[in-house]
Amino acid sequence: MIGSLLYLTASRTDILFSVCLCARFQAYPKETHLHDVKRIFKYLAYTPSLGLWYPRNSSFDLHTYSDADFGGYKVDRKSTSGTCQFLGNMLISWFSKKQNSVALSTTEAEYIAAGSCCAQVIWMKQQLLDYGIIFEKVPIKCDNTSAICLGKNPVDHSRTKHIDIRYHFIKGNIERNDVELVIVPTKDQIADIFTKPLDEQSFPRFRMELGLCEID
């Protein structure tokens, strides 16, 4: 059941977080986990015509969203990273993933998520370069001011020296004008849908902003 749902997340981005969360319990599933998976199938049964829409007249600017849910996974208190990349209004890449280590602050969790998003952006820029399309200063939209300041500040402060060095490569990409960290209000942070459960007002709004709509 999980395998089928994971396959479906290639077009149904709205269930990505829920499916990935259930997938963490595949080794030792309980009856409650089976009940949750059946709820996902029930949601899909009520929304069979939802799909990603790619409009013909969309612009072609590359921009991304990055977010993290600090300590949201109650089992081991690890944070969940979520990012999505757009070409204009068209969603072209997304992921939801539990971070490898326990973050000690919201800043660290958001910074790690931004680093993962940056790596994806650099790969995408290289792919688009083969088609003669060049992007400068691709915006990574983050709702944490401290994480943005950390990315722009070339000095490693004592309070952040514990962050793994491999995540600091984002600084080099900012200095080379490959990407830039941009603040976005939390209410407009689309990547929230990949990091945590949302209320019934926010979920349909973010789902629509991802490009999911009724397709006849």
Side-chain angles (χ1 to χ4, degrees):
M1 294 169 72
I2 291 294
S4 300
L5 290 172
L6 285 171
Y7 179 79
L8 190 59
T9 57
S11 59
R12 289 296 299 267
T13 56
D14 52 332
I15 64 171
L16 179 62
F17 171 74
S18 300
V19 173
C20 290
L21 184 60
C22 292
R24 298 172 189 174
F25 300 95
Q26 283 188 99
Y28 303 101
K30 298 181 180 179
E31 188 174 345
T32 55
H33 303 137
L34 178 61
H35 175 70
D36 291 337
V37 172
K38 288 182 177 179
R39 288 188 63 186
I40 298 175
F41 277 105
K42 186 176 180 180
Y43 166 73
L44 292 172
Y46 277 98
T47 56
S49 58
L50 274 182
L52 286 172
W53 177 254
Y54 294 93
R56 182 184 303 178
N57 57 352
S58 174
S59 61
F60 210 72
D61 58 306
L62 180 61
H63 59 103
T64 71
Y65 292 85
S66 171
D67 192 36
D69 181 29
F70 173 56
Y73 188 48
K74 303 302 182 184
V75 176
D76 54 14
R77 305 304 297 181
K78 290 182 180 179
S79 304
T80 301
S81 299
T83 72
C84 53
Q85 290 75 35
F86 290 84
L87 272 177
N89 298 325
M90 302 175 291
L91 181 65
I92 56 174
S93 178
W94 57 92
F95 80 82
S96 174
K97 182 181 179 181
K98 185 175 71 170
Q99 295 181 1
N100 294 327
S101 58
V102 178
L104 302 182
S105 65
T106 304
T107 300
E108 180 179 351
E110 295 274 1
Y111 191 58
I112 290 173
S116 300
C117 185
C118 179
Q120 181 71 5
V121 168
I122 298 303
W123 178 81
M124 293 174 66
K125 285 185 63 175
Q126 188 61 41
Q127 299 300 309
L128 291 169
L129 189 62
D130 294 339
Y131 296 93
I133 303 172
I134 301 174
F135 290 104
E136 297 287 340
K137 286 191 172 183
V138 176
I140 298 177
K141 299 177 183 180
C142 175
D143 60 0
N144 187 277
T145 306
S146 298
I148 293 176
C149 292
L150 180 61
K152 294 179 178 179
N153 192 344
V155 179
D156 290 335
H157 298 288
S158 58
R159 66 185 180 89
T160 58
K161 65 182 180 181
H162 59 277
I163 300 178
D164 198 305
I165 294 175
R166 71 189 184 93
Y167 294 113
H168 284 287
F169 84 99
I170 191 173
K171 291 181 180 178
N173 288 295
I174 291 175
E175 293 169 358
R176 290 191 296 270
N177 291 327
D178 289 329
V179 299
E180 62 174 339
L181 294 176
V182 179
I183 190 68
V184 64
T186 302
K187 63 181 180 64
D188 298 325
Q189 177 55 274
I190 301 176
D192 256 359
I193 199 172
F194 299 124
T195 62
K196 63 176 80 70
L198 299 176
D199 57 63
E200 60 184 16
Q201 287 79 33
S202 300
F203 182 77
R205 181 167 63 87
F206 286 149
R207 183 179 65 186
M208 184 177 63
E209 292 185 17
L210 286 173
L212 278 166
C213 60
E214 296 283 344
I215 300 177
D216 297 329

